[in-house]
Amino acid sequence: MSPLTTRTLQILLALVDGPLHGYGVKQSVEARTEGAVRLGSGTLYEGIARLVDGGYIEEVPAPPDEPASGGPPRRFYAMTPEGRQALAEEVRRMDAVVRFARTRDLLGEEPAG
Amino acid sequence: MLEPQREENPPNVSLPSCPRILRWLFRLYPRPYRERYADEVAACLRRDLERSGGGVRFWAGVVWDHLRASAAVRRRERHGKEGRMRTVLEDFRHGARTLRRAPTFTAFATLTLALGIGATTAAYAVLDRVVLRPLPYPGAERMVVVGPSREADPERVGTVSTPLMVALQESPGPAEAIVGLMRGYSVLIGLGDPERVYPAEVTAGFFPFFGGAAVVGRLLSDEDHVPGAQPVAVLGHGFWRTRFGGGPAVVGTTIALDSVRRTIVGVLSEDFVPPEQIMMGAEGDIWVPLPLAERIGAAPAAQLISYTVFAVARLGANISPQAMEGHAARVIEDVYGGYPRGVVGATSQSLHALTVGDIHSVLWRVFAAVALLLVIACVNVASLLLTRSSERVRELAVRSALGAGRGRLVRQLLSESVLFALGGAALGAAVAFVAVEGFRRFSPGGVPRLGEVVVDGRALGFSVTVALAAVLLFGLLPALRATARSAAPGPRQSTPGRADARLRGTLVFAETALAVVLVAGSGLLVHDLVRRIQEDPGYRPEELVAMRVTLPFGHYGDDRRASFWRELVEGARALPGVTSIAITSELPTTDNRMEWAMTPQGHQESEGISNLQTGGAFDATVGLTVVDGRWFSDYNVDGEPVAVVNEAFVRAYWPDESSVIGRTIQVMGGDVLRVVGVAADARVEPGVGPRPKVYRPIGVAVTSNSMEIVARADANPAALTPELRALVQRLDPGLVDVNIRTVASLNAQALARPRFYTTLFSSFGLIAFLLALVGVYGTTTYAARSRTREIGIRMALGARRTQVVRQVVVRTLLVVAGGIAVGLLVAVLTSRALTDALLTIGARDALTYATVAALVLAAGAAAALVPAERASRVDPASTLREDG
């Protein structure tokens, strides 16, 4: 049974390409879902905290190429192997659903190919 | 992680544009969360604010967002890391619920543990007080008993003579101080009826040496020991309370001990443990000065050969006992001008070792046995838990599927074990209290310091430690196994893993092996005891009653004494119900310490040989068989010195003679005895091998102070007791030192201690045995149940029931047999620990081991048969259907 909710799944997806700070996660999610999934400052960190406690993501040092900003130091988060595994499982599960949906033509207009 | 914030308010997040609402929002979160994430959340919020420009809608969204998030955080906290304590409580609650649902299992496991923990705690309490703790005296660890070492038994510390005591006190050498004490008995007159008391005569410095303090008056002073001083006495606290009502007016009153009036000068405090009590098991009622100088002055030669005083030395720091022994040897040489006859030097023994002496090994043995029992109990509970957790595979799988991690499951299972341990420890403490009380009440004596034994904080701490260790031992393993299984979940799983079966087998194996060690040990003790009881004593103790009469010192002149004994024997002979009467210096049942130096014919050296002087129809009365020659006639009217020896004497000194009648024995400095008969060996003490004995006619005029009158009754010997007492009262109303008992009861008394410890060990053995059987039963039940399908299939395919039963039983028995083999091996290897407790059989008695092995194997087979039989009754169809 997956421990991932929609929100935590989105956070994990945002970290696929590398470590991000909290606000970066929020921007990435909103950009990728074109605003369909919005993370408020509270729910964003609630999700991050849950993933940290579950061992799916961890705090990492800021990447060296990250320019020092004026404000308080920003903390970066990266996916752990457990997180990647949980994400893979979840995606596989979704993939199975999608494949089934395709065989029954549930997705509507199927791109030819 | 951030440093914890000190102020209660949310951290200053340097948000000039952040209104008060944000502070209020942060308070919604649990503090650790707030401390960890507040600055990041604030930074994030500021960027949002910058982007959107604020506004009511924005802030309404923020509030809503944080309400949701904080609720989620708090909800998670209840099950998450921050709420670990709550989780632990929940685990316990869950554990308690689970246990309540299985009351039989819970009761059995808790009782098993309670028994193990309680017995171990009790044994520890006794061991701690009696053996481990130092004696309650200043510098007790440096105290040694010192004395001459004798040829016959060089290791044993002898008592010293009064001149030696004086010399040692004058020249203590490497010792800080040396004191002496001597235990005698006296007749106390002046407090109601005359009675026998055991005052200790002590040298100067005795009380300071042992740290005694007076609660009333004073203790003995050096002046009390000066020749010609007024006779004084010091009372023990208990004696003072029971006889004098515990009032201070006792100081100055007088009591008469034998014929000496003594003034009481003081009373010892209650917490003083009399050294003679722990050294000799004496009461410690009255202390009087030991007048060394006076005694030596009165009879210097006699005092030189009379070794009666215990000398106790406190060594200086870092002084070895050997240095003390060397010094004492030189003092002996000085006093005697070389070593006296039979003395080969000086030796010492620590007061503690002397006190705990042979009880030391007995108590360690008891402790080892109960510790073994506790381990068996733990193994048993472990295998019960394992069985149970295998039955709970589905429950665990479901919980794991619902998101409980392995750690969580282990914690939950362990919390059940902790509940067991706590229950076991609480109940075990109660068991320990009862056990210690029982031990105190029923132990047959010979355990010094038993009065000091209590189940105290130290013992309770011990039991809690034991309980916690037990949890780790019996709880962790099954918990790890169970959760490892559920990690590869299969709610429909019907056969346990191979590793599981192996672990289960190992537990039964270990349990059987441990139980066999205990059962074999107790089997040896029981076997030995039975043989001791059945042993032919060599005489007929039934219907015998013995009366020891001791005349006070200086009570009669020689003539009056002789006529007193004669009148006593004649009076007893005339009593109705008496069929035969004799008088003797010692009973054949007691180990006679009266040894005379004698030289049997054909030997060069004289030997100390036990010597009984008897009169009357001794052989007929006691029932002693004369195997060769004849018994001497009553009171030796033969006119020449004659003797009867026992068979042990013949074996020891004249092993090659066909008949020893007419051979002679030279008594040192006295008669030459002609042997007229050989008597069968009379057993001294059950199980103690017979020693060479010489029976001699006592002569017409008995002048000894203390004699034993032996009467054979035609019916109940105990019925003669009042008649005999009345007879003594008629002859001399002033005599108090009369001790009447049946010889059978004396024999029973001699066996009381082995009987007690054998019973103790057998009950341990029995419990271990039963626990092992429960283990075998449980494991077979489980194995049979988990193979129900297989059995069903086999039976559906035509296997006969007996085949199925046999297969299940044989599998279990192989494990049991392995356990028995290893257990026997360990028992044989450790049997040395029992050697000194066994008198009639060796510690490697093959018959005992074989019996134990057969017994455990047979019982194991029975315990395995029942569940196997039940398993074979399964309906094949139903088990297969279950699989659908």
Side-chain angles (χ1 to χ4, degrees), chain B residues 391-615:
Chain B
E391 285 165 359
R392 290 166 70 191
V393 165
R394 286 172 196 214
E395 179 204 326
L396 294 177
V398 168
R399 287 175 57 87
S400 151
L402 288 177
R406 183 172 182 197
R408 180 71 203 281
L409 287 182
V410 170
R411 266 208 311 279
Q412 191 213 319
L413 290 177
L414 264 188
S415 70
E416 283 176 30
S417 305
V418 170
L419 282 178
F420 277 131
L422 292 181
L427 218 57
V431 170
F433 274 107
V434 173
V436 164
E437 200 44 50
F439 187 76
R440 224 200 312 252
R441 187 160 313 168
F442 296 113
S443 102
V447 182
R449 311 175 76 187
L450 203 52
E452 295 176 49
V453 173
V454 283
V455 180
D456 56 1
R458 193 154 138 172
L460 287 177
F462 178 82
S463 93
V464 169
T465 312
V466 164
L468 290 180
V471 167
L472 284 182
L473 194 66
F474 72 70
L476 199 54
L477 205 58
L480 287 177
R481 291 278 337 136
T483 54
R485 193 168 37 238
S486 70
R492 308 278 317 172
Q493 188 182 29
S494 55
T495 42
R498 224 164 248 242
D500 192 45
R502 207 161 42 230
L503 176 62
R504 183 178 304 286
T506 310
L507 288 178
V508 169
F509 171 82
E511 202 172 18
T512 312
L514 291 169
V516 164
V517 174
L518 261 186
V519 174
S522 47
L524 286 173
L525 292 172
V526 169
H527 188 182
D528 183 54
L529 183 68
V530 168
R531 287 190 50 159
R532 286 202 226 179
I533 291 171
Q534 288 176 345
E535 206 175 43
D536 177 15
Y539 66 103
R540 291 179 292 122
E542 311 81 19
E543 282 102 44
L544 270 189
V545 62
M547 172 169 69
R548 163 70 65 180
V549 179
T550 305
L551 304 174
F553 191 73
H555 191 63
Y556 294 140
D558 278 359
D559 290 351
R560 176 74 188 93
R561 214 162 25 226
S563 68
F564 170 80
W565 293 123
R566 199 162 44 243
E567 284 163 28
L568 190 58
V569 169
E570 293 315 315
R573 199 198 305 279
L575 289 178
V578 172
T579 58
S580 175
I581 198 93
I583 183 167
T584 174
S585 54
E586 293 286 340
L587 283 177
T589 43
T590 51
D591 194 6
N592 190 352
R593 313 252 181 242
M594 278 283 288
E595 293 188 346
W596 288 38
M598 302 188 207
T599 315
Q601 189 178 354
H603 288 253
Q604 305 303 317
E605 294 283 307
S606 71
E607 311 243 2
I609 298 173
S610 171
N611 173 72
L612 277 80
Q613 292 179 292
T614 71

Side-chain angles (χ1 to χ4, degrees), chain B residues 23 85 118 137 188 270 273 352 373 421 426 496 499-500 536 556 630 652 654 661 724 758 850:
Chain B
R23 288 169 192 272
M85 194 54 222
Y137 307 123
L188 171 70
E270 191 169 10
V273 182
H352 187 255
L373 195 64
D500 192 45
D536 177 15
Y556 294 140
R630 62 175 173 88
W654 296 319
I661 308 300
L724 285 169
T758 302

Side-chain angles (χ1 to χ4, degrees), chain A residues 60-82:
Chain A
V60 292
D65 54 331
E66 180 69 14
S69 66
R74 291 192 279 191
R75 282 190 271 193
F76 279 74
Y77 299 94
M79 210 171 348
T80 64
E82 286 80 13

